[in-house]
Amino acid sequence: MIAAKKAVKYFLFTLLLLTGNFSFAQKQELVKIDFNYTRTDSGAVVISMKAIPEPGVKIFALKKSESDLAFSTILFDSSIFPKIKQVPTQEKAPQTQFDKDLQGILNFYTDSVIWKQKIDVRSSDSFLLKGSLICMYKKGDEFGTVEKPIRLFIHPSVLKVTDGSKLDYTSLWAIFLAAFLGGILALLTPCVYSMIPITVSFFTKRSVTKADGIKNAIYYSISIILIFTLAGFLITVLFGPGALNKLSTNWIANLVFFVIFMAFGISFLGGFEMTLPSSWSTKSDSKAGINNFGGIFFMALTLALVSFSCTGPIIGNLLVLASRGSHYGPLVGMFGFSTALALPFAGFAIFPSRLKVLNKAGGWLNSFKVTLGFLELALAMKFLSNADLSKGWRILDREIFICIWIAIFISLFLYLLGLIRFRHDNKLPQNDFGMPHLTVLRLFFALGSLTFVVYLMPGLIGAPLKGVSAFLPPIGTQDYVLLDDSKRGENTNSTSLNAGMEEPIKYADEMKIYEPPVVRSNGLVTYFDYAQALRISKKLNKPLMLDFTGINCVNCRKMENEVWSAPEVISRLKDNFVIASLYVDAFNIDLQESEQYFSKSLQKKIETLGDKNTDLQVSNFNANAQPFYFFINSEGEKLASDGYGYDPNVSKFIELLDKVKKEYNSKKN
């Protein structure tokens, strides 16, 4: 009799399906579903699935017994089944009611419900969890289901960071000294030293006397320290550790920098005089107040923003620490970093006052300013290129960029020879016969400019131009590249993976134009998705090198061109490693909706590939500087070191690669 009643119930339920009283996913808006996950202290993953019904909608509970007719279901990829040793749990008990249509007792919810599933994995495990939640509901007399795919990338557990309030003074002094040394090293990076010409040219007009130079240098130093220490810290705390880096690579910000450098360049060529509004000046002292300090503060702000993407691993780590609740350490560290950065720029601010003293008949100072004007026009192209790369406009490809630089430095060559003159230029000095002549120093500068033009010309046919490649757009943007095809290898990122792998490289079509020359010319295969690279690492039985990089990262290009390209390095990378180039500023590539998630570390929804890679670096590796290299095995465990930042020392990098390979082999055996 019981079996007969059950058969009748199943018959009625089937009849509902056939008669159209049961509708499917076309009414998904009736139930909203969200996914999230947490890690337990032991490292196990707990998946949370929250379902929120619209008013008047009943969500059926999970199946508890064979007698249940209507129920919701959780399905996971078959590879996860061995790790699931517990049944899913429900946050609260469901309501029960007799259903006249199915002639049975049904369990359901009329408000939100959270189902949780524990998956037993190791704390070092990282994987892509795939599955689906089939949520059955009833509205009125109509049954329906909502099926939503589950796609969660499970990161390895992150070590907890000690609260900065517990730091002792010894630790604070160590942070200060480390940050101070980091600031000194940052002075050697291209992003920072590109600001030297504009700093000197800006203060040339302001520092008339020695007293003015000292006063302006003090203002400038204080401004740099305040901006780096307070503004950088506050922005990071409020908007996350990737905020300033994202700003420095933002296309709008780079267009602003482009306009600023162009304005200074044109001004020093004699196009116009740059002055602040007269209303900003005070009657008591036209050189004091906002007219003086406001402009200097603006220069310091420009320095901070322009140089941020190249300020080294130390500041990236401090920003990550700031976002995780430790306040004293980042404040002290950023103060030390900005102090080291400010000291030499204070010297550059004083320097123009010396030029005033040295200025003699013949317009030496004016020629110096015009030369700086040409240099600033050249540097302005770098920021326009950054914006162009970020938006994918392709209006300033590599060959166009090189042509513009060639034109600028030919013009500088002609100016230094006296063949081009501006309206505010003095005549060249005359010799004993009344003929204009060049000084030896001016001739040397002219020859230097011509030499640079000759050096740039092979770049038009694809020469790597290692000396300035950090400033140039990627070689992938160049239409015509004359390379020896025999050196390029059979495998490229636009085709397939390593030998025996037929899976296409994810994001290759969008990212291949950003490949550095060392990758293109040596047939080196790199991947742009962490999960795919980790999977390939396991298949090929090789350690994985995570290259956290950026489209507009100047230091990254220097590492690739000066370190990666060394024969001893490239051979090791090709033979012993799988490489994932994870671009943290790839904001023009949107993730699929199923891949998007909310980041606790960045406190934002992850919607782009750049955001995803930034979150991976911050959440899993406690860093936010580029370039930064981490080495892991196929289980996601770190190998040999806690990371390798910007350090163009070939021998040191080779030593690290050998150490990683040795440790990987020892663990494998």
Side-chain angles (χ1 to χ4, degrees):
M1 180 63 69
I2 295 177
K5 288 183 178 180
K6 183 182 292 187
V8 171
K9 291 180 181 179
Y10 279 109
F11 172 76
L12 292 174
F13 185 67
T14 304
L15 185 63
L16 288 173
L17 296 177
L18 297 177
T19 56
N21 287 334
F22 193 99
S23 61
F24 291 89
Q26 68 268 24
K27 295 188 177 181
Q28 290 187 11
E29 68 274 6
L30 294 179
V31 181
K32 180 181 179 182
I33 301 175
D34 291 315
F35 302 111
N36 202 346
Y37 80 91
T38 57
R39 288 264 193 181
T40 65
D41 293 338
S42 63
V45 174
V46 178
I47 308 299
S48 297
M49 296 154 279
K50 186 175 183 179
I52 307 175
E54 291 291 319
V57 176
K58 299 178 180 178
I59 302 176
F60 292 111
L62 300 177
K63 186 175 182 179
K64 288 189 174 182
S65 65
E66 291 298 326
S67 62
D68 290 341
L69 290 177
F71 50 85
S72 297
T73 305
I74 303 172
L75 301 174
F76 289 108
D77 185 81
S78 58
S79 62
I80 302 298
F81 287 158
K83 304 178 186 298
I84 299 178
K85 300 178 181 179
Q86 300 179 9
V87 297
T89 61
Q90 299 179 134
E91 187 181 54
K92 54 188 176 183
Q95 304 177 45
T96 59
Q97 188 178 32
F98 180 81
D99 188 87
K100 61 180 180 179
D101 294 320
L102 297 181
Q103 294 294 304
I105 300 295
L106 297 180
N107 302 312
F108 61 90
Y109 299 91
T110 56
D111 56 357
S112 64
V113 58
I114 298 178
W115 294 302
K116 293 185 177 182
Q117 177 64 66
K118 184 178 180 182
I119 302 176
D120 293 321
V121 293
R122 294 176 299 180
S123 59
S124 60
D125 285 349
S126 61
F127 55 92
L128 178 64
L129 177 66
K130 294 189 291 185
S132 60
L133 172 61
I134 304 174
C135 189
M136 183 177 291
Y137 67 86
K138 182 179 182 183
K139 184 175 183 181
D141 294 331
E142 182 178 301
F143 289 85
T145 62
V146 174
E147 180 174 356
K148 185 165 183 178
I150 301 174
R151 287 183 63 87
L152 291 173
F153 186 78
I154 310 300
H155 297 286
S157 293
V158 181
L159 295 177
K160 295 182 179 179
V161 180
T162 304
D163 186 357
S165 61
K166 298 179 181 178
L167 291 173
D168 57 28
Y169 291 107
T170 304
S171 299
L172 292 177
W173 272 110
I175 290 177
F176 176 84
L177 293 175
F180 188 87
L181 293 175
I184 294 176
L185 292 176
L187 292 167
L188 304 177
T189 62
C191 291
V192 175
Y193 65 65
S194 66
M195 281 295 298
I196 295 176
I198 196 171
T199 299
V200 174
S201 60
F202 178 82
F203 285 101
T204 296
K205 294 182 178 180
R206 290 181 172 267
S207 302
V208 179
T209 66
K210 181 178 180 180
D212 286 337
I214 295 175
K215 180 181 67 175
N216 291 337
I218 294 174
Y219 287 167
Y220 196 38
S221 301
I222 293 175
S223 298
I224 293 173
I225 293 173
L226 285 176
I227 289 170
F228 267 97
T229 303
L230 297 181
F233 174 75
L234 292 176
I235 290 175
T236 301
V237 170
L238 294 176
F239 301 106
L244 281 177
N245 188 52
K246 189 170 184 178
L247 175 63
S248 67
T249 58
N250 180 269
W251 70 275
I252 297 178
N254 275 281
L255 284 181
V256 172
F257 300 149
F258 165 71
V259 171
I260 291 173
F261 273 66
M262 285 293 294
F264 275 104
I266 295 173
S267 174
F268 279 90
L269 291 178
F272 57 86
E273 287 290 324
M274 293 188 65
T275 57
L276 293 174
S278 58
S279 59
W280 287 10
S281 61
T282 62
K283 295 181 180 179
S284 59
D285 185 1
S286 61
K287 296 178 182 178
I290 295 179
N291 189 36
N292 195 31
F293 183 74
I296 293 175
F297 186 85
F298 177 76
M299 274 297 303
L301 179 62
T302 303
L303 168 66
L305 295 177
V306 169
S307 64
F308 187 81
S309 61
C310 290
T311 48
I314 182 66
I315 196 169
N317 294 334
L318 290 172
L319 294 181
V320 173
L321 188 60
S323 70
R324 294 171 181 258
S326 179
H327 302 318
Y328 295 106
L331 280 173
V332 171
M334 295 186 76
F335 175 74
F337 183 90
S338 57
T339 300
L341 198 65
L343 290 177
F345 276 93
F348 299 139
I350 296 175
F351 181 63
S353 67
R354 303 297 185 184
L355 296 181
K356 289 290 185 180
V357 176
L358 295 174
N359 189 23
K360 299 178 181 179
W364 180 86
L365 178 60
N366 184 71
S367 299
F368 178 76
K369 293 184 327 189
V370 171
T371 301
L372 289 177
F374 279 112
L375 294 177
E376 286 164 13
L377 292 181
L379 291 172
M381 294 300 107
K382 170 59 181 172
F383 298 106
L384 181 59
S385 173
N386 289 347
D388 181 53
L389 291 172
S390 296
K391 297 299 292 182
W393 293 325
R394 300 297 300 274
I395 62 175
L396 199 63
D397 287 348
R398 188 174 185 266
E399 66 270 27
I400 302 299
F401 188 100
I402 293 175
C403 285
I404 293 174
W405 267 24
I406 289 175
I408 290 174
F409 285 97
I410 286 179
S411 300
L412 175 59
F413 168 70
L414 296 176
Y415 171 79
L416 292 173
L417 288 182
L419 301 178
I420 295 178
R421 291 176 58 191
F422 296 95
R423 62 179 179 84
H424 60 326
D425 277 324
N426 295 325
K427 293 181 180 180
L428 291 174
Q430 296 181 345
N431 59 17
D432 295 339
F433 303 99
M435 301 292 293
H437 69 92
L438 297 177
T439 63
V440 174
L441 182 62
R442 186 162 181 152
L443 176 62
F444 282 166
F445 277 114
L447 292 176
S449 181
L450 180 61
T451 302
F452 188 60
V453 169
V454 175
Y455 173 76
L456 289 174
M457 285 182 174
L460 295 175
I461 58 173
L465 302 180
K466 292 183 179 180
V468 294
S469 59
F471 291 93
L472 303 178
I475 199 169
T477 64
Q478 187 156 331
D479 294 329
Y480 178 70
V481 178
L482 184 62
L483 290 175
D484 183 1
D485 289 338
S486 65
K487 295 181 180 181
R488 299 186 63 176
E490 298 179 356
N491 296 317
T492 65
N493 281 350
S494 60
T495 55
S496 64
L497 303 182
N498 285 336
M501 299 298 163
E502 299 178 354
E503 179 184 359
I505 293 180
K506 195 172 183 180
Y507 305 119
D509 292 338
E510 300 92 340
M511 300 301 297
K512 63 183 179 181
I513 66 170
Y514 305 123
E515 290 176 344
V518 64
V519 172
R520 296 171 61 89
S521 61
N522 290 279
L524 186 65
V525 178
T526 58
Y527 308 102
F528 307 108
D529 180 73
Y530 172 68
Q532 183 183 45
L534 191 65
R535 184 169 62 253
I536 299 304
S537 169
K538 187 172 185 178
K539 289 182 179 179
L540 298 180
N541 197 19
K542 293 182 179 181
L544 175 60
M545 185 179 91
L546 301 179
D547 166 30
F548 287 100
T549 182
I551 297 172
N552 295 320
C553 174
V554 177
N555 287 349
C556 302
R557 303 295 86 79
K558 284 181 68 66
M559 283 293 295
E560 292 156 358
N561 293 316
E562 296 180 12
V563 179
W564 287 32
S565 60
E568 301 88 347
V569 174
I570 196 68
S571 62
R572 286 169 169 81
L573 293 179
K574 290 182 66 175
D575 298 337
N576 301 332
F577 294 89
V578 172
I579 303 174
S581 291
L582 305 176
Y583 287 81
V584 300
D585 54 356
F587 304 122
N588 58 328
I589 300 180
D590 295 325
L591 299 175
Q592 296 181 3
E593 185 176 353
S594 59
E595 296 179 314
Q596 297 177 10
Y597 62 95
F598 183 82
S599 167
K600 293 182 179 179
S601 298
L602 302 184
Q603 287 298 302
K604 60 178 291 186
K605 186 177 181 181
I606 303 302
E607 300 177 305
T608 68
L609 179 62
D611 289 333
K612 179 182 177 181
N613 291 333
T614 301
D615 180 51
L616 176 65
Q617 185 181 13
V618 171
S619 300
N620 293 357
F621 300 99
N622 292 332
N624 190 30
Q626 295 81 43
F628 223 118
Y629 308 103
F630 293 95
F631 299 86
I632 61 175
N633 59 22
S634 57
E635 303 298 326
E637 300 171 334
K638 287 184 183 180
L639 297 172
S641 75
D642 291 328
Y644 186 94
Y646 175 73
D647 186 352
N649 185 316
V650 176
S651 299
K652 188 175 178 181
F653 196 73
I654 291 175
E655 181 181 349
L656 176 63
L657 294 180
D658 291 341
K659 183 179 179 182
V660 170
K661 182 62 177 177
K662 182 178 180 180
E663 181 176 334
Y664 179 82
N665 290 335
S666 63
K667 288 187 176 181
K668 181 177 64 176
N669 297 330

